[in-house]
Amino acid sequence: MYKGRYESSFSFEHCWNELRYQPKLMEELEIKQQKTKKTATAINLEDTNETPGLKQVDLERPPERKAKKERQNKRKRSDGGNEGL
């Protein structure tokens, strides 16, 4: 794998064979593996059965935010032609 990535042979293989099972290195490898693992949870949004203790979440954007953003976009579009003057 090293040779494929760096196009040269790994010159410290004898060191790697001595150190690879040392507790300090094993701890570092475990930390890196935990960071790279991504956990995903499955959510069924179509499920109509209510589970006790869970709140229902509204996935829609509040209308006042959407209206405000639309007004800002209209202003930007109308001011866009007058910037060169």
Side-chain angles (χ1 to χ4, degrees):
M1 183 168 50
Y2 182 88
K3 190 172 187 171
R5 180 177 274 178
Y6 298 105
E7 298 177 1
S8 68
S9 61
F10 185 66
S11 58
F12 295 102
E13 191 165 350
H14 62 284
C15 296
W16 169 248
N17 289 328
E18 291 288 324
L19 298 173
R20 68 193 291 181
Y21 296 112
Q22 295 298 315
K24 184 176 182 177
L25 185 62
M26 295 297 288
E27 191 176 299
E28 290 290 324
L29 290 174
E30 286 178 13
I31 291 170
K32 286 183 181 180
Q33 287 175 350
Q34 288 175 353
K35 287 181 181 178
T36 58
K37 287 184 182 177
K38 294 181 180 177
T39 58
T41 57
I43 299 173
N44 185 0
L45 298 176
E46 307 256 338
D47 192 10
T48 57
N49 297 333
E50 299 230 3
T51 307
L54 292 178
K55 294 182 194 176
Q56 189 174 15
V57 178
D58 185 19
L59 299 177
E60 292 278 329
R61 187 177 206 180
E64 60 274 0
R65 285 189 178 187
K66 187 174 182 179
K68 182 179 178 182
K69 188 165 186 161
E70 286 176 1
R71 285 192 304 268
Q72 288 174 345
N73 287 338
K74 283 182 182 178
R75 273 192 230 134
K76 284 181 185 178
R77 278 186 253 142
S78 65
D79 293 340
N82 296 335
E83 289 179 13
L85 297 176

